[in-house]
Each structure stands twice: as structure tokens, then as C-alpha cells.
């Protein structure tokens, strides 16, 4: 059997009429110029912001919102997209229907180790107006005080590059013959802003699209703290003034479930399109983007693609992070421990679904103020319905990763609010107990991988499953004492600690009766 042709502008142009399930790109790729730099060109960005940008630009007939995607540690995504002229498909899967939307808004991909200069020059260009980010919670490299972690060698390295940029010092060539390579997303962003400032170009906005409370404010504080760490001097002071006057950091709430792409997905897309797409992403039909309307310069007409522009994102952000993301984590940790491979299987387990509803109703909804037009009980049901989508192979393992980063953002703020209100959130204590059980299970011989930036510290703190079973209070006390995860108002709460210990019994009962998933 001959190998399928690879998706590209050329093969797409020659394609005979693709089936009705295929939506062709709305923009002609080679007419697009760069207007946005996106840090973290992973599956979620390609399934979410890049789709909104494609639709917004098409609605306005604008060709200047092309996206330069910036990868992370490896150039894997560059190798997936560049041979395809950066075209890719979004395989949209509901319970009953599958559609393939082809997207052309991503125009190039840069790998910082090789292409930092390209990113810096693009950020500094007067035709570039925005940087957007999906670098995951751990990508922000925050110290406990919310500033960038200057103890990290990569941050110190990038600070020197920013200083050189401001002073116009020549930079030695990088590992691959390109300009000196930045090593962190925030460091590379600030380096580009420094050149933008030096070039006398203004008006820029940095739009975080990560699952964090006040993600715009978080990003602003990190950028400002990095600029504040520059060696004293007139250029640094002028740069800081320019940042304050010319750059805004709107917050956003993003929502679309985008599981990792499987070989079966790629085969399904090939069947629909007739071309091989190595950059395919998968997503549910639902998508939402709520954006704080605080832009220093032009932006795509995202509202024409269905985004909501608002003065205050916080209510939307709280509802989504605290309801959807917290319940996702509960189902992931409890589901994995109960033998469920997917979220759909876990939420299909009546015991787990009932526990999830109880956590939402008892501990989460009392802390929320519904944004206009949203019924929180209906939202709860819609979230569980989305989780149940049998067509999405969203694994519990994928959602279970990075627990040390996700707990503070999506669960512990709610715990703190309930404790402050004089209530002990036993449902959320179950979430924490499930996470501790999940960490303990990873220490067992042949146990699952613990995918977490501080995995080794977590595993040494939890000890073992046996220790957790035989000395639950001591183990829970050690875990709640981890300052990188638990704020003092939660970690020091005896009532919450006792609730977590008590909920370990529920976790062990569920784990004992392993379901198949
Ligand atoms: C998930 C999120 O992996 C996870 O932690 O909870 O990626 C979730 O799928 C998205 O936030 C949905 O919008």
C-alpha cells in the first residue's frame, strides 16, 4: 500500500473534494503575515486560540494575524508542522459525530534553542501586537512570593541576555549557530520586549491562556520582577517605565478539552482527509474563551469567533477552575486508583460520579458567584456531560499529571475559602486524599509514573503505600507541610488534616474494589 501524501499547501490544493466532514482552512496560508507570537505551541493552543484567531481573521478579512509558535524543550512540534506549511487539523469528536477542521493561522514554529533570535525579532516588530501563552502552570517558574524564581540558573542566564539586549551588546552564537539561546519562556518574552523598547516600538499585550487564577496579573508580576532584577542603569530604568506604559496583561479564561492525539485519531483523520497530518490535535466540540478587554494595541476580532470580551474575567475563571478543573483532578486521581484508564470511564462509574457531584455541591458552589446568565447547577451537569464524552480518549493519567502545580490553583483556594467560612470541606479533603494516594501508588514496585515537576520530593515525602496505610496521620501531616504545594492557611489546619486522613479510608475502599476502565 503506497504511503499517504503529507498535508501541505500544495497537496491540499490538489485535493479532490474532501468529504462534508472536512472544513477547509478559512485563510489562505501564504497570504498571512505574522502578528502574534505564541509561547507553548502545544495541542491546547492549536485546538483553542489558533482556531479563534483563524475565525476572527477570516470574519474581518484580515491577513496580519499569523502566529509564530514557540516550542519548549524540543523541536518536536516544529518537525510536525513545518513540513506541512504549518497546516494542521482539529479532529472534533462528540459522542455521535466527528468533524475535521483544517487550520492555517499558525505560520511558523521556532525552537528557542535554535531560533531565539527569530522570536526576539518577531516580538520587536511593529507588525506584531500580541504574545499569548500556554506554557502550563509549571512553565511560569514562580517563586513562592509570586516573582520569577531567580534561584534558577536558566532564569539567571536569560536575565543576562535581556541585559545584553538593552545595552546592545553583541551576543555569542548559540548551540546551533543561531543567536544566543534563551532558556525560559518568560525570559525570551522579556528579551523580545527589551528589543521592542530599544527599537522605539510600543503598544503590546501579553495574554496568558493558562489555567491559573488571575493569569494576566501572574504574568505581569513575573515580567516586572525579571525587569526589576536587571543591573541598575538608565537603560533598565527606561525599559521598566516603557513596560508600565506600553504593555498590558489581560487575564483570560480558556476552556476546551483537548486529549493527547492517538494513532487511532491520526488514522481517522487520514480516512476523512486523505492526507497524513502529523500535527493533528483532538478536541471536544465545546470551546469557550473569556478575555479581559485590556489591550494596548490591535487584536484579532476574537469576539466574532465567539469569544467573550469582558471587564472582569474573575467570576468566569473561578467557576471554571474550581468546578471543571477541580472535578477533573478528582476523577483523574480517584479514577486512576480505581482502575479507570479514561475520564469518561471514571465519570461513568456511579460511585465516582456521586462523589464528584457531592464535592461540587457541598464545597465548591458555595464559594462561587455565578457570572451573568450562568446557572451553576446546569454548569455542573454540563461539565460532567462533557467528561462523559465516550469519543474522547482523555486519559486519567494525562489529567493526573502535575498535581503539585494544579492543586494550589484549582483546589486549595477553595479549601482556604471554606475554612475561612468556618466549614471543613470534606469533599475537597477527598480530592487531596486521592492525590496523596496517587503519589503513594507511584512508589510501589511497577507503580505508575508520577509526572510532576517535584515528583522525587513528593515520593520521598509520602514514603510508601504501606506507610500511608499504617501511619496515615504522619504521612498526611508531612504532605500538607510541603510549602511548594500547601499554603499555610490550609497546611496548618488541623480540621482539614483530620478530614484528609478520614477520606483516605474512602480512597482505599474505592481502590480496593478495582473497576475495569
Ligand atoms: C485538565 C485541563 O489536564 C488537565 O488538568 O483539567 O487541561 C482541562 O482539560 C481543560 O482546562 C479544559 O478546559
Amino acid at each position: 500500500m503506497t504511503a499517504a501524501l503529507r498535508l501541505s499547501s500544495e497537496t491540499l490544493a490538489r485535493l479532490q473534494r474532501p468529504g462534508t466532514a472536512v472544513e477547509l482552512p478559512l485563510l489562505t496560508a501564504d497570504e498571512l503575515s505574522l502578528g502574534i507570537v505564541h509561547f507553548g505551541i502545544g495541542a491546547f493552543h492549536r485546538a483553542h486560540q489558533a482556531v479563534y484567531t483563524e475565525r476572527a481573521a477570516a470574519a474581518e478579512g484580515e491577513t496580519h494575524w499569523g502566529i509564530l509558535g514557540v516550542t519548549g524543550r524540543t523541536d518536536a512540534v516544529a518537525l510536525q508542522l513545518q513540513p506541512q506549511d504549518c497546516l494542521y487539523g482539529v479532529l472534533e469528536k462528540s459522542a455521535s459525530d466527528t468533524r475535521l477542521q483544517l487550520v492555517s493561522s499558525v505560520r511558523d514554529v521556532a525552537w528557542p534553542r535554535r531560533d531565539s533570535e527569530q522570536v526576539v525579532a518577531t516580538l520587536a516588530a511593529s507588525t506584531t501586537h500580541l504574545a499569548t501563552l500556554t506554557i502550563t502552570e509549571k512553565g511560569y517558574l514562580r517563586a513562592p512570593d509570586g516573582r520569577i524564581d531567580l534561584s534558577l540558573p536558566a532564569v539567571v542566564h536569560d536575565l543576562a541576555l535581556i541585559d545584553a539586549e538593552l545595552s546592545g551588546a553583541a551576543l555569542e552564537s548559540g548551540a546551533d549557530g543561531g543567536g544566543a539561546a534563551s532558556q525560559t519562556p518568560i525570559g525570551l518574552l522579556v528579551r523580545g520586549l527589551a528589543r521592542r523598547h530599544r527599537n522605539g516600538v510600543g503598544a503590546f499585550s501579553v495574554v496568558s491562556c493558562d489555567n491559573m487564577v488571575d493569569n494576566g496579573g501572574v504574568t505581569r508580576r513575573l515580567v516586572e520582577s525579571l525587569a526589576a532584577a536587571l543591573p541598575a542603569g538608565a537603560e533598565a530604568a527606561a525599559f521598566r517605565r516603557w513596560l508600565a506604559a506600553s504593555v498590558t496583561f489581560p487575564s483570560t479564561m480558556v476552556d476546551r478539552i483537548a486529549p493527547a492525539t492517538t494513532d487511532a485519531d491520526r488514522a481517522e483523520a487520514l480516512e476523512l482527509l486523505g492526507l497524513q497530518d502529523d500535527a493533528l490535535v483532538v478536541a471536544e466540540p465545546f470551546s469557550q474563551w473569556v478575555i479581559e478587554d485590556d489591550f494596548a494595541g490591535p487584536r484579532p476580532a476574537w469576539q466574532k469567533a465567539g469569544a467573550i470580551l469582558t471587564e472582569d474575567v474573575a467570576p468566569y475563571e473561578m467557576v471554571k477552575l474550581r468546578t471543571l478543573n477541580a472535578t477533573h483532578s478528582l476523577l483523574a486521581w480517584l479514577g486512576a486508583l480505581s482502575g479507570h484508564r479514561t475520564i469518561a470511564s471514571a465519570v461513568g462509574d456511579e460511585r465516582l460520579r456521586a462523589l464528584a457531584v457531592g464535592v461540587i455541591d457541598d464545597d465548591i458552589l458555595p464559594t462561587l458567584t455565578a457570572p451573568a446568565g450562568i446557572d451553576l447547577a446546569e454548569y455542573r451537569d454540563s461539565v460532567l456531560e462533557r467528561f462523559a464524552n465516550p469519543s474522547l480518549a482523555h486519559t486519567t493519567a494525562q489529567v493526573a499529571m502535575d498535581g503539585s502545580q494544579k492543586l494550589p490553583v484549582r483546589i486549595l483556594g477553595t479549601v482556604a475559602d471554606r475554612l475561612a467560612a468556618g466549614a471543613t470541606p470534606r469533599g475537597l479533603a477527598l480530592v487531596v486524599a486521592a492525590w496523596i494516594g496517587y503519589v503513594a501508588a507511584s512508589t510501589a514496585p511497577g507503580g505508575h509514573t508520577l509526572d510532576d515537576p517535584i515528583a522525587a520530593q513528593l515520593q520521598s515525602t509520602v514514603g510508601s503505600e504501606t506507610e500511608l496505610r499504617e501511619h496515615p496521620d504522619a504521612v498526611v501531616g508531612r504532605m500538607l507541610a510541603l510549602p511548594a504545594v500547601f499554603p499555610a492557611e490550609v497546611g496548618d489546619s488541623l480540621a482539614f488534616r483530620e478530614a484528609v486522613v478520614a477520606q483516605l479510608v474512602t480512597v482505599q475502599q474505592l481502590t480496593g474494589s478495582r473497576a475495569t476502565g
Side-chain angles (χ1 to χ4, degrees), residues 240-265:
R240 288 191 288 268
R241 286 195 298 274
W242 175 84
L243 276 173
S246 308
V247 183
T248 63
F249 297 84
S251 281
T252 74
M253 184 280 274
V254 293
D255 190 0
R256 192 173 202 186
I257 294 173
T261 305
T262 66
D263 289 342
D265 296 322

Side-chain angles (χ1 to χ4, degrees), residues 8 127 194 196 236 257 266 278 477:
S8 70
T127 47
R196 189 178 184 88
I257 294 173
R266 290 186 188 90
D278 286 2

Side-chain angles (χ1 to χ4, degrees), residues 174-235:
D176 298 88
S182 291
Q183 296 178 0
T184 70
I186 299 295
L188 182 49
L189 166 66
V190 176
R191 188 176 161 196
L193 293 176
R195 186 173 300 177
R196 189 178 184 88
H197 158 63
R198 203 158 56 89
N199 290 353
V201 181
F204 195 84
S205 293
V206 177
V207 188
S208 172
C209 299
D210 279 298
N211 284 325
M212 296 186 301
V213 175
D214 184 26
N215 51 20
V218 166
T219 309
R220 178 177 48 76
R221 284 187 289 278
L222 290 167
V223 166
E224 289 175 346
S225 63
L226 193 51
L230 285 162
E235 298 95 346

Side-chain angles (χ1 to χ4, degrees), residues 211 254-257 320 324-325 328 394 399 406 410:
N211 284 325
V254 293
D255 190 0
R256 192 173 202 186
I257 294 173
K320 192 262 181 174
L324 184 147
N325 290 111
H328 231 180
H394 203 189
V399 179
K406 293 176 178 178
R410 54 181 71 178

Side-chain angles (χ1 to χ4, degrees), residues 474-496:
V475 175
V476 169
R478 290 201 303 266
M479 294 298 275
L480 265 57
L482 287 169
V485 183
F486 294 91
E489 63 268 31
V490 173
D492 294 347
S493 164
L494 181 59
F496 188 68

Side-chain angles (χ1 to χ4, degrees), residues 137-143 147-150 152 154-155 183-186 222:
E137 300 90 334
K138 60 180 180 279
Y140 288 81
L141 304 176
R142 279 187 284 177
R147 292 187 290 185
I148 199 157
D149 187 346
L150 290 164
L152 297 172
V155 173
Q183 296 178 0
T184 70
I186 299 295
L222 290 167

